[in-house]
Amino acid sequence: MKKKKILVIHGPNLNLLGQREPHIYGRTTLAEINRQLKKISRQLNAALTIVQSNYEGKIVDLITASKGKFHGILINPAAYTHTSVAIRDAILSCGVPTVEVHLSNIYCREEFRHHSLISPVAKGTIMGFGAKSYLLGLEALLNLIDLS
Ligand code: DQA
């Protein structure tokens, strides 16, 4: 079976994982998460392109350019989850199946985090399992693509 091409997007401040609020996000670094993602992607016959950006416009451009190039998008929009109409619109307009992930459970945190602008345009959302959210999200995304 042909390899599934997946675009993985890490949003703002996720480059600081490991040092950033470890009581919330854990001690696993982004490099370690990416290593684990690549490991399971080999088992699941997927090819990953992984990008981290602190810039909303860059994330919008990546999503827009993913049409026709990727079978799916795995995204942790981080703080843009709660603010970005632009990222939401890009996901809608590119039509590439997207799974949203979060390390923390946003509903157990401050009220301003309780609303995601991304969830209504994502195929599904996985949150609250730390670094494991990404691995579960990748598996779920690949299952979904296989079914479609
Ligand atoms: C986050 C949750 C967001 O509210 C926050 O702004 C982040 C990380 C998470 O993975 O738990 O940067 O997306």
mmCIF file of all heavy atoms in Angstrom, residues 30-40 42 50 135:
data_model
loop_
_atom_site.group_PDB
_atom_site.id
_atom_site.type_symbol
_atom_site.label_atom_id
_atom_site.label_comp_id
_atom_site.label_asym_id
_atom_site.label_seq_id
_atom_site.Cartn_x
_atom_site.Cartn_y
_atom_site.Cartn_z
ATOM 1 N N LEU A 30 10.119 18.667 22.255
ATOM 2 C CA LEU A 30 9.505 18.538 20.932
ATOM 3 C C LEU A 30 10.304 17.563 20.066
ATOM 4 O O LEU A 30 9.724 16.781 19.313
ATOM 5 C CB LEU A 30 9.426 19.916 20.259
ATOM 6 C CG LEU A 30 8.562 19.949 19.001
ATOM 7 C CD1 LEU A 30 7.116 19.609 19.307
ATOM 8 C CD2 LEU A 30 8.646 21.310 18.323
ATOM 9 N N ALA A 31 11.637 17.606 20.207
ATOM 10 C CA ALA A 31 12.482 16.690 19.421
ATOM 11 C C ALA A 31 12.129 15.238 19.750
ATOM 12 O O ALA A 31 12.078 14.380 18.856
ATOM 13 C CB ALA A 31 13.953 16.966 19.714
ATOM 14 N N GLU A 32 11.848 14.965 21.029
ATOM 15 C CA GLU A 32 11.500 13.602 21.443
ATOM 16 C C GLU A 32 10.116 13.208 20.895
ATOM 17 O O GLU A 32 9.915 12.083 20.422
ATOM 18 C CB GLU A 32 11.550 13.505 22.981
ATOM 19 C CG GLU A 32 11.112 12.179 23.575
ATOM 20 C CD GLU A 32 11.906 10.964 23.088
ATOM 21 O OE1 GLU A 32 13.025 11.109 22.568
ATOM 22 O OE2 GLU A 32 11.356 9.838 23.212
ATOM 23 N N ILE A 33 9.173 14.141 20.945
ATOM 24 C CA ILE A 33 7.844 13.857 20.366
ATOM 25 C C ILE A 33 7.992 13.538 18.875
ATOM 26 O O ILE A 33 7.410 12.572 18.367
ATOM 27 C CB ILE A 33 6.881 15.053 20.582
ATOM 28 C CG1 ILE A 33 6.540 15.190 22.067
ATOM 29 C CG2 ILE A 33 5.610 14.886 19.747
ATOM 30 C CD1 ILE A 33 5.670 16.381 22.423
ATOM 31 N N ASN A 34 8.788 14.336 18.179
ATOM 32 C CA ASN A 34 8.976 14.110 16.741
ATOM 33 C C ASN A 34 9.634 12.763 16.466
ATOM 34 O O ASN A 34 9.282 12.070 15.513
ATOM 35 C CB ASN A 34 9.801 15.246 16.129
ATOM 36 C CG ASN A 34 9.015 16.556 16.094
ATOM 37 O OD1 ASN A 34 7.784 16.551 16.179
ATOM 38 N ND2 ASN A 34 9.716 17.663 15.971
ATOM 39 N N ARG A 35 10.573 12.397 17.359
ATOM 40 C CA ARG A 35 11.236 11.084 17.201
ATOM 41 C C ARG A 35 10.219 9.951 17.353
ATOM 42 O O ARG A 35 10.177 9.018 16.562
ATOM 43 C CB ARG A 35 12.356 10.958 18.254
ATOM 44 C CG ARG A 35 13.441 9.944 17.917
ATOM 45 C CD ARG A 35 14.360 9.688 19.101
ATOM 46 N NE ARG A 35 13.650 9.194 20.273
ATOM 47 C CZ ARG A 35 13.165 7.971 20.429
ATOM 48 N NH1 ARG A 35 13.366 7.072 19.478
ATOM 49 N NH2 ARG A 35 12.512 7.615 21.519
ATOM 50 N N GLN A 36 9.352 10.077 18.368
ATOM 51 C CA GLN A 36 8.323 9.042 18.588
ATOM 52 C C GLN A 36 7.333 8.993 17.428
ATOM 53 O O GLN A 36 6.902 7.928 16.999
ATOM 54 C CB GLN A 36 7.579 9.324 19.900
ATOM 55 C CG GLN A 36 8.447 9.127 21.133
ATOM 56 C CD GLN A 36 7.708 9.471 22.430
ATOM 57 O OE1 GLN A 36 6.498 9.613 22.462
ATOM 58 N NE2 GLN A 36 8.455 9.633 23.506
ATOM 59 N N LEU A 37 6.966 10.188 16.921
ATOM 60 C CA LEU A 37 6.037 10.241 15.782
ATOM 61 C C LEU A 37 6.642 9.535 14.571
ATOM 62 O O LEU A 37 5.971 8.761 13.881
ATOM 63 C CB LEU A 37 5.714 11.691 15.419
ATOM 64 C CG LEU A 37 4.630 12.395 16.237
ATOM 65 C CD1 LEU A 37 4.600 13.888 15.914
ATOM 66 C CD2 LEU A 37 3.255 11.771 15.980
ATOM 67 N N LYS A 38 7.932 9.811 14.319
ATOM 68 C CA LYS A 38 8.595 9.206 13.152
ATOM 69 C C LYS A 38 8.673 7.689 13.312
ATOM 70 O O LYS A 38 8.491 6.948 12.351
ATOM 71 C CB LYS A 38 9.983 9.803 12.962
ATOM 72 C CG LYS A 38 9.870 11.196 12.384
ATOM 73 C CD LYS A 38 11.152 11.648 11.725
ATOM 74 C CE LYS A 38 10.887 12.965 11.006
ATOM 75 N NZ LYS A 38 11.942 13.948 11.172
ATOM 76 N N LYS A 39 8.933 7.254 14.554
ATOM 77 C CA LYS A 39 9.024 5.812 14.806
ATOM 78 C C LYS A 39 7.689 5.137 14.473
ATOM 79 O O LYS A 39 7.652 4.156 13.741
ATOM 80 C CB LYS A 39 9.421 5.579 16.266
ATOM 81 C CG LYS A 39 9.730 4.156 16.579
ATOM 82 C CD LYS A 39 10.267 4.004 17.983
ATOM 83 C CE LYS A 39 10.285 2.539 18.358
ATOM 84 N NZ LYS A 39 10.236 2.348 19.802
ATOM 85 N N ILE A 40 6.580 5.685 15.010
ATOM 86 C CA ILE A 40 5.314 4.979 14.725
ATOM 87 C C ILE A 40 4.866 5.186 13.277
ATOM 88 O O ILE A 40 4.168 4.358 12.726
ATOM 89 C CB ILE A 40 4.172 5.240 15.746
ATOM 90 C CG1 ILE A 40 3.568 6.597 15.603
ATOM 91 C CG2 ILE A 40 4.531 4.914 17.153
ATOM 92 C CD1 ILE A 40 2.108 6.562 16.124
ATOM 93 N N ARG A 42 6.709 4.931 10.739
ATOM 94 C CA ARG A 42 7.314 3.847 9.945
ATOM 95 C C ARG A 42 6.485 2.574 10.090
ATOM 96 O O ARG A 42 6.227 1.874 9.118
ATOM 97 C CB ARG A 42 8.761 3.591 10.386
ATOM 98 C CG ARG A 42 9.717 4.674 9.881
ATOM 99 C CD ARG A 42 11.174 4.288 10.109
ATOM 100 N NE ARG A 42 11.571 4.374 11.502
ATOM 101 C CZ ARG A 42 12.008 5.497 12.091
ATOM 102 N NH1 ARG A 42 12.128 6.604 11.402
ATOM 103 N NH2 ARG A 42 12.348 5.499 13.367
ATOM 104 N N ILE A 50 7.324 17.495 9.260
ATOM 105 C CA ILE A 50 7.035 18.093 10.560
ATOM 106 C C ILE A 50 7.543 19.529 10.607
ATOM 107 O O ILE A 50 8.702 19.788 10.276
ATOM 108 C CB ILE A 50 7.695 17.274 11.706
ATOM 109 C CG1 ILE A 50 7.240 15.808 11.638
ATOM 110 C CG2 ILE A 50 7.358 17.884 13.057
ATOM 111 C CD1 ILE A 50 7.852 14.904 12.702
ATOM 112 N N LEU A 135 0.605 10.780 19.300
ATOM 113 C CA LEU A 135 0.707 9.432 18.732
ATOM 114 C C LEU A 135 -0.682 8.871 18.465
ATOM 115 O O LEU A 135 -0.950 8.283 17.410
ATOM 116 C CB LEU A 135 1.499 8.512 19.669
ATOM 117 C CG LEU A 135 2.884 9.044 20.101
ATOM 118 C CD1 LEU A 135 3.575 8.067 21.036
ATOM 119 C CD2 LEU A 135 3.768 9.322 18.900
#
